[in-house]
Amino acid sequence: MDFRDSPAEAAFRARLKAWLAENAGKFPTSGDEYWHKQGEWHQALYQAGFFGLSWPKRFGGQELPPVYDVILDEELAIAGAPARPSLGYLAIGLGHHGSAELQQRFLPGMINGSERWCQGFSEPGAGSDLASLTTRAELDGDEYVIHGHKIWTSYSDIADWCLVLARTDSDVPRHKGISGFIVDMHQPGVEQRPLKMINGVSAEFGQVVFDGARVPAANMVGKPGEGWKLAMTVVSHEREPSTLGFSARYGKLVRQLAKKAAADGAAVPDDLRWAAVQAEMLRLHVRRRLSEQLDGLVHGPDGSLDKLLMTWVEQSVGHAALAVTGTRDPEMLHAYLYSRAQSVMGGTSQIQKNIIAGRILGLPAS
Amino acid sequence: MDVRLTTEQRELRDAAARLADDLGPGSVLDLADDDRAARLEKAIAATGWRTLRSDGASGVEVALVVEEFARGLIDVPFVGPVLADELYTRLTEAGGPTEGSTDGVSADGVAAAASGGATVAVDGVAIDAKGLRGLLGLDGTRVLAGTVGATVEGVDLTRLTGEPAGPLTAVGTLDEETALRFRALALVVTTADMLGAARGALTLGAEYAKVRQQYGHAIGSYQAIAHLLAEARALVEGAVSVLRHAAWAVDELAAAEAVQAALVAKAYTERAARTICETSIQVHGGIGNTWECLAHVFLRRVLTSAELFPATLEEIDLGLS
């Protein structure tokens, strides 16, 4: 057992540090500016050899162990650089369920950042109860025609492709009538409706209305009716802090807050000390989880434990921000307000607890 | 970077878990079963695990055994003797006991420590002292020795505390680095003890929720109950992660860093473990508030290990240095 870098890991870290120093300040780290420049940031990281680290070489990855992503996230946070674009869960979904042709066509662009993606799962009427979704896809020749309304489609307005869940069969039990599609976002029949969130950011989340958008039948991920399996793979990985790459952000926020408290000459509030403990917990937790992936562990329900822990950490840090700077500091207020979404997005904390209770603790279904 | 347990470490953990499951108390009534406790004492003595440290084992291995023993509410000494073994080993490495420093009593204490029959003194109290004669302590960098006097039952129903038979006397000195490392180990083993007890309490609560019926259904089927237990399960996972690192750090990082890692682990685990035990009591309802339910035995063990070698939030490094 060793929490330290191996020589190869240390060399990678040193190269990364040097690159980050050269590129300091070139990319915005928060707010709408971050989202607008995220595509360029992604491609810059990729071209320098720091993105898609654990992906197969045939898709443009480097086939490195997952712990390299930890190093990346830590160094991004230390350097005050933007976070790693989070699309690992979409890549995993496509990698598990897509045909060889679809993988070869789409994974390289997804990984190198030349093609932007969004996820069309949730609907206004299908949030936690995702299987109740009503977007439908009807076969017309060798294409499907899509009608429906999607919401929480992160950065859909700049996306080239959307992984859409739609109902292809209404005569079977609801989980079995859903299929997954890779839909071109640049076509008539795709309407963008941005959402302004409580922190004022409007470039992250949006709504998309599909009204007669067309998708080749060959762009179906898996077979008809296999969309639910795809969705479960994607959301279970969406729940892991290691995939999201956010965990290192929390330590960075804690250090920023400590500096602000020190500059004010005020006593350090216990909320901040507790947030520091929590952030360190998550940093170590991610290391443990990514090490476990060396065994080839598939993260099913355990992702719900990770998501719950990450949520508690982010919201502790948010409370620490309030304790230190109140509403005076726009960046810290932004961090606090954003933290409220963590217990909702990617599956609410209540849904995670249902999963933990049923699938990990083995408690009976209600 | 690879923080998985080794095969040997997993086997050690599993062996400790089996021993705890076979011979630990399964009920409050079992705590008074002296025959069982005698069989347990014999089994643990046979493993030699009380001298894991002097046998060269890492902090990780010690923490794994402590955690499983606490999960099974092992009610014969373990944490105390392990820490005494560590102190005695470091004392002898430092050339101690100092010649002529031992009077009759401290000589007795040192001799008992040499044969694995000692525990440690914390704030003038011999912890985990059942059946032990030797007593070692650390005051700053000075190692103290004496013997255990009368033992009493305390807050923790699974471990006895003792009065020192007389004043402890200095028998040697450790360097500061070694003294800090002892503190790191002490923080780690008491953290492992809290985590193990919390895991035991969670299992007790979750199993109860599967069988206890109200309104015609198992109470675990109600989200109000299920979500409490799910939160407790996530807290366990976080505590495992901080403890794993702190236990590794005892031997692998500079002593001051090892202490920081241990403080983080203990601060996190203390809150987590107390919450988990309180959840277990709540899930048990009225029965959870009775003496006969094991939930409070786990809680008492957690509270006791939290107070031994305490970790305060004020000591946590905020990363400014």
Side-chain angles (χ1 to χ4, degrees):
Chain A
M1 181 195 298
D2 199 343
F3 279 82
R4 280 179 292 242
D5 290 350
S6 69
E9 289 162 355
F12 174 86
R13 192 187 289 274
R15 264 193 313 180
L16 175 57
K17 265 187 194 298
W19 184 82
L20 286 169
E22 278 168 38
N23 290 277
K26 284 190 192 163
F27 294 94
T29 57
S30 64
D32 277 349
E33 298 76 24
Y34 166 72
W35 294 102
H36 287 310
K37 290 264 191 182
Q38 200 212 26
E40 287 173 47
W41 168 237
H42 180 161
Q43 293 188 46
L45 271 178
Y46 180 81
Q47 280 156 17
F50 301 121
F51 193 84
L53 302 173
S54 56
W55 281 88
K57 287 182 178 167
R58 67 180 184 282
F59 301 134
Q62 299 184 31
E63 296 184 9
L64 291 169
V67 289
Y68 278 81
D69 286 331
V70 173
I71 298 173
L72 175 62
D73 293 334
E74 286 180 357
E75 292 303 321
L76 292 178
I78 290 168
R84 175 164 58 112
S86 56
L87 50 77
Y89 50 95
L90 284 180
I92 288 168
L94 195 50
H96 275 253
H97 301 281
S99 64
E101 293 75 23
L102 286 181
Q103 290 180 16
Q104 201 55 57
R105 163 63 189 86
F106 289 109
L107 283 176
M110 186 185 282
I111 290 166
N112 69 29
S114 62
E115 293 183 317
R116 315 293 303 151
W117 283 74
C118 64
Q119 176 186 321
F121 286 14
S122 298
E123 298 178 2
S128 293
D129 184 13
L130 184 61
S132 70
L133 61 87
T134 58
T135 293
R136 61 188 197 279
E138 286 158 339
L139 194 58
D140 177 25
D142 56 2
E143 290 184 324
Y144 281 87
V145 182
I146 298 185
H147 288 91
H149 185 167
K150 294 292 180 180
I151 192 167
W152 317 124
T153 45
S154 306
Y155 38 101
S156 58
D157 55 331
I158 53 163
D160 302 304
W161 301 98
C162 185
L163 186 62
V164 173
L165 292 181
R167 195 164 295 286
T168 47
D169 188 345
S170 302
D171 299 328
V172 295
R174 58 189 204 144
H175 291 82
K176 294 182 177 163
I178 298 168
S179 304
F181 296 93
I182 296 170
V183 178
D184 186 349
M185 294 294 279
H186 305 292
Q187 60 167 312
V190 176
E191 184 200 336
Q192 302 282 352
R193 295 183 188 170
L195 281 169
K196 188 168 181 176
M197 303 302 289
I198 60 174
N199 59 0
V201 166
S202 56
E204 181 174 0
F205 292 105
Q207 307 186 69
V208 177
V209 177
F210 294 101
D211 186 13
R214 303 184 79 85
V215 55
N219 278 17
M220 184 184 283
V221 181
K223 296 196 185 73
E226 289 184 351
W228 187 251
K229 277 200 299 187
L230 167 69
M232 290 303 97
T233 299
V234 171
V235 297
S236 78
H237 286 276
E238 193 178 14
R239 287 171 189 144
E240 294 171 37
S242 46
T243 300
L244 283 169
F246 282 1
S247 63
R249 282 189 328 173
Y250 306 130
K252 174 180 149 190
L253 274 168
V254 165
R255 286 190 294 276
Q256 280 179 300
L257 287 166
K259 277 184 198 150
K260 286 176 190 289
D264 292 348
V268 174
D270 270 0
D271 280 355
L272 178 56
R273 296 186 190 280
W274 179 240
V277 170
Q278 290 257 44
E280 177 67 356
M281 178 279 292
L282 195 66
R283 184 180 81 83
L284 299 168
H285 184 68
V286 168
R287 286 176 173 233
R288 179 160 74 90
R289 284 295 196 226
L290 289 181
S291 291
E292 286 170 356
Q293 285 183 9
L294 294 168
D295 291 332
L297 287 187
V298 174
H299 283 186
D302 282 2
S304 292
L305 296 168
D306 301 351
K307 170 77 195 315
L308 204 51
L309 289 173
M310 177 172 70
T311 298
W312 288 338
V313 173
E314 175 154 347
Q315 296 187 341
S316 287
V317 174
H319 286 146
L322 282 187
V324 174
T325 55
T327 59
R328 298 183 299 281
D329 184 312
E331 189 189 355
M332 292 300 145
L333 180 63
H334 179 290
Y336 162 68
L337 289 170
Y338 191 83
S339 75
R340 302 319 304 167
Q342 192 55 256
S343 47
V344 178
M345 60 188 180
T348 66
S349 289
Q350 287 67 38
I351 291 290
Q352 310 305 342
K353 290 174 200 174
N354 284 349
I355 293 169
I356 295 165
R359 293 178 58 197
I360 297 177
L361 292 173
L363 296 177
S366 51
Chain B
M1 190 190 310
D2 180 355
V3 309
R4 290 174 296 177
L5 298 176
T6 64
T7 305
E8 293 73 19
Q9 287 166 342
R10 286 198 297 267
E11 285 169 0
L12 176 66
R13 178 192 61 193
D14 295 348
R18 277 195 303 276
L19 199 161
D21 289 338
D22 289 348
L23 291 169
S27 67
V28 171
L29 213 57
D30 279 353
L31 287 168
D33 182 347
D34 294 336
D35 290 343
R36 178 198 55 79
R39 286 197 302 278
L40 174 62
E41 170 55 40
K42 198 174 159 193
I44 290 182
T47 62
W49 290 337
R50 285 172 176 142
T51 54
L52 271 173
R53 286 298 280 178
S54 55
D55 294 338
S58 71
V60 174
E61 282 128 27
V62 170
L64 287 170
V65 176
V66 169
E67 182 185 332
E68 290 306 323
F69 279 6
R71 185 186 57 79
L73 290 174
I74 287 304
D75 53 345
V76 298
F78 192 72
V79 163
V82 162
L83 290 177
D85 174 54
E86 170 82 2
L87 262 189
Y88 179 75
T89 306
R90 301 307 160 221
L91 175 69
T92 52
E93 282 172 0
T98 321
E99 215 170 313
S101 70
T102 47
D103 60 22
V105 172
S106 61
D108 276 2
V110 169
S115 62
T119 185
V120 290
V122 182
D123 296 332
V125 176
I127 69 162
D128 206 11
K130 184 179 176 184
L132 296 171
R133 171 157 177 76
L135 186 59
L136 295 181
L138 188 64
D139 178 21
T141 56
R142 286 189 317 149
V143 179
L144 310 176
T147 53
V148 180
T151 52
V152 291
E153 284 189 16
V155 172
D156 181 351
L157 306 184
T158 60
R159 293 179 291 199
L160 301 182
T161 56
E163 293 287 322
L168 275 62
T169 54
V171 292
T173 306
L174 305 181
D175 61 60
E176 283 198 21
E177 176 93 359
T178 305
L180 275 178
R181 216 173 274 291
F182 175 77
R183 185 182 178 211
L185 180 71
L187 286 162
V188 161
V189 294
T190 48
T191 300
D193 199 75
M194 290 192 291
L195 173 58
R199 285 176 51 215
L202 173 59
T203 301
L204 189 73
E207 293 310 307
Y208 185 74
K210 291 175 190 172
V211 297
R212 166 71 173 170
Q213 301 229 338
Q214 286 291 275
Y215 302 104
H217 298 281
I219 60 171
S221 69
Y222 301 119
Q223 287 182 330
I225 303 293
H227 285 194
L228 283 176
L229 291 165
E231 288 173 10
R233 182 63 186 75
L235 289 172
V236 165
E237 214 61 30
V240 169
S241 294
V242 281
L243 174 61
R244 177 84 51 91
H245 177 251
W248 170 82
V250 166
D251 304 299
E252 300 291 339
L253 294 184
E257 291 175 308
V259 169
Q260 268 301 318
L263 287 169
V264 167
K266 187 149 191 182
Y268 184 87
T269 305
E270 181 177 345
R271 282 202 198 188
R274 198 178 58 214
T275 302
I276 294 163
C277 290
E278 289 171 354
T279 290
S280 186
I281 290 174
Q282 179 66 19
V283 167
H284 280 88
I287 291 299
N289 289 272
T290 65
W291 192 265
E292 281 69 31
C293 179
L294 273 175
H296 78 111
V297 182
F298 288 110
L299 175 62
R300 285 164 176 273
R301 188 157 177 150
V302 165
L303 296 176
T304 302
S305 284
E307 284 182 358
L308 294 174
F309 307 100
T312 62
L313 282 178
E314 284 67 32
E315 285 185 276
I316 302 290
D317 180 6
L318 291 171
L320 285 179
S321 51

